[in-house]
Amino acid sequence: MKLLALDTSSEGCSAALFADGRVTEKFEIAPRGHTRLLMPMIRALLAEQGLKPADLDALAFARGPGSFTGVRIATGVVQGLAWGLGLPVVAVSSLETVALGAIEALQVSEGEGIAVAFDARMSEVYWGCFRNRSGLPEPLGEERVCPPSRVALMEAGIVNWIGAGQGWAFRNGMPDDVSARINSIDEALIPRASWVARLAAVKYSQDMAVPAEQAQPVYIRDEVTWKKLPGRE
């Protein structure tokens, strides 16, 4: 199976190719360079593997939450490619991708919890809780956006918790019963296309791919709030 995955949901810009179980990736920190970098990354990945777009079986992208502009860039590119090539699409939560990164980078044990937090601006965080289930993040409850003071750990019998994501910079504003239960934190983890690819390959095998028109971004935050931001109508 050959799957191309994209992520532009944070300051990182990346593309990854899952080809018969092996993942290769192009990644660069470029807060304002997603549009400029993404297509060259895609072309380079395919060329290095001697593949053409028509050789792909599916596409995937980090659907959000994250940067509104960034999420739309990956969504637009994936939808355009999917329509043109007639390929199915797998949309993967950006929070879930970082949970997978934490499982690997922080050596999270089986059954332990991962609490992922992104900076959502406007004094809020995007928040999602997961459990390591056989090396993959299992979602616990719904993802949400809220002030740091309102985050909560989904119990599910989990004793040990790991924190991941830049939103943990606001740990001091989180409830004591949350921050006190976190054993370690990696604030540097951001979404990467290689993690998107690995999760998407699993979801694809579970028949979770959708047609291009159904591959939509997930902002979580009420879009009315977005429209009220300065300069938006």
Side-chain angles (χ1 to χ4, degrees), residues 98-231:
V98 168
L100 176 60
I103 288 173
E104 296 179 350
L106 304 179
Q107 299 182 330
V108 179
S109 299
E110 174 75 14
E112 290 188 333
I114 309 101
V116 182
F118 294 168
D119 183 358
R121 311 300 181 187
M122 298 193 292
S123 301
E124 292 183 317
V125 294
Y126 295 119
W127 180 260
C129 292
F130 305 83
R131 171 171 44 203
N132 179 7
R133 178 73 73 183
S134 301
L136 294 172
E138 177 188 27
L140 302 174
E142 294 185 359
E143 298 175 355
R144 59 185 299 203
V145 60
C146 62
S149 61
R150 294 180 60 189
V151 302
L153 298 176
M154 303 299 176
E155 294 298 331
I158 296 173
V159 176
N160 296 317
W161 285 89
I162 304 297
Q166 295 174 324
W168 279 98
F170 305 103
R171 180 178 184 176
N172 289 340
M174 296 180 182
D176 291 342
D177 64 342
V178 171
S179 59
R181 295 175 60 194
I182 301 297
N183 296 328
S184 62
I185 295 173
D186 190 336
E187 295 179 15
L189 289 177
I190 61 174
R192 296 187 66 129
S194 56
W195 299 331
V196 176
R198 288 182 53 194
L199 290 170
V202 174
K203 295 176 187 296
Y204 180 84
S205 70
Q206 298 171 341
D207 295 324
M208 296 178 67
V210 299
E213 63 272 16
Q214 295 180 29
Q216 297 296 325
V218 173
Y219 299 120
I220 297 183
R221 172 171 282 141
D222 187 341
E223 292 191 16
V224 172
T225 303
W226 167 243
K227 292 175 182 177
K228 289 181 180 179
L229 288 173

